[in-house]
Amino acid sequence: METQRAIRARRMIRQFDPDRPVDPQALHRILTLALRAPSAGFSQGWDFVLLTAAQDREAFWSAATDSDVPDSWLRGVMSAPALVVCCSDKAAYLERYAQPDKGWTDQDDERWPVPYWDIDVGMAALIMLLVAVDEDLGALFFGAHVPTHAAVKNALAIPVDRTIVGIVALGYPQEKKASGSVRVRRRRPTEEVVHHGRFGMPYDPVQPPAKASE
């Protein structure tokens, strides 16, 4: 499938067929291609914990949920036969940029305008979502509630210095309807989002940017 088609076909799936496991080779392709994501300084400060065995997924959900009675959204996501817990490693970036070719020897995280260690993991997760489309799978990126992060790390033996950026659920979709958010909110059009030349200037895909008024 062409990249543009995969982008247009991608949807967040919230209910999966629990009786259809994902082909291990498909998971391997998804994870391997995710590692092609860009990372600042080629730091590659990411780790991905793949959960396919029932007991491993149960360990995650037991740690990640703070309710004994899951709602319909959670029940649907819990049906996913594969989960990928996406973690960032901030220290890998600070150490990389303290090397001679970068030269930030103090490893001061205040130098970073935004946490690229988290952004890069998000880019890798997006690649997983797109490759899932190519594999005829459904996928969802979601976050674990912050108060549960310590319990999730403990349950999955994730080092305490890693940050759980989010989780990718994978499986065969049981539903393809648009989410409630999509039904009540429109997709912002390109001309509303893109500013040409400077903020507030109208975007025209066929014309050069107009000069701002003096």
Side-chain angles (χ1 to χ4, degrees):
M1 179 180 290
E2 296 178 358
T3 302
Q4 292 187 30
R5 287 181 58 203
I7 292 171
R8 293 181 183 279
R10 187 207 59 77
R11 298 288 185 272
M12 290 293 198
I13 299 299
R14 296 164 177 81
Q15 188 169 352
F16 302 85
D17 185 344
D19 299 321
R20 293 186 67 188
V22 179
D23 178 4
Q25 290 303 311
L27 289 173
H28 180 70
R29 288 188 290 269
I30 289 169
L31 293 166
T32 300
L33 287 170
L35 302 185
R36 306 292 296 185
S39 66
F42 207 40
S43 301
Q44 304 173 82
W46 46 44
D47 293 280
F48 304 102
V49 183
L50 174 63
L51 308 175
T52 55
Q55 63 269 26
D56 294 332
R57 299 196 311 272
E58 290 168 5
F60 167 79
W61 288 117
S62 178
T65 54
D66 47 19
S67 173
D68 294 331
V69 183
D71 58 19
S72 59
W73 183 93
L74 187 55
R75 288 195 301 273
V77 179
M78 290 175 72
S79 65
L83 300 173
V84 182
V85 183
C86 305
C87 304
S88 66
D89 181 2
K90 176 181 177 179
Y93 286 73
L94 301 185
E95 292 169 4
R96 170 69 185 94
Y97 276 77
Q99 293 175 2
D101 62 323
K102 297 298 182 184
W104 292 354
T105 56
D106 55 12
Q107 298 192 32
D108 184 1
D109 62 4
E110 291 297 321
R111 293 180 178 275
W112 294 81
V114 291
Y116 275 88
W117 37 92
D118 296 336
I119 291 172
D120 292 349
V121 171
M123 291 185 181
L126 178 56
I127 290 178
M128 293 185 203
L129 300 181
L130 293 175
V131 180
V133 174
D134 201 38
E135 297 286 349
D136 293 324
L137 294 169
L140 172 72
F141 181 82
F142 66 97
H145 292 168
V146 173
T148 70
H149 281 204
V152 171
K153 290 180 183 180
N154 183 64
L156 303 180
I158 297 172
V160 295
D161 64 349
R162 299 301 196 270
T163 297
I164 298 174
V165 177
I167 301 93
V168 176
L170 295 160
Y172 291 94
Q174 278 197 332
E175 51 82 22
K176 294 185 178 181
K177 65 181 181 180
S179 73
S181 295
V182 173
R183 290 195 296 270
V184 301
R185 294 177 58 85
R186 67 181 177 90
R187 189 180 301 277
R188 295 177 66 192
T190 306
E191 59 271 17
E192 179 182 304
V193 178
V194 179
H195 309 263
H196 211 158
R198 63 183 62 198
F199 200 97
M201 297 299 291
Y203 167 68
D204 187 330
V206 297
Q207 296 293 332
K211 290 184 178 180
S213 58
E214 299 294 339

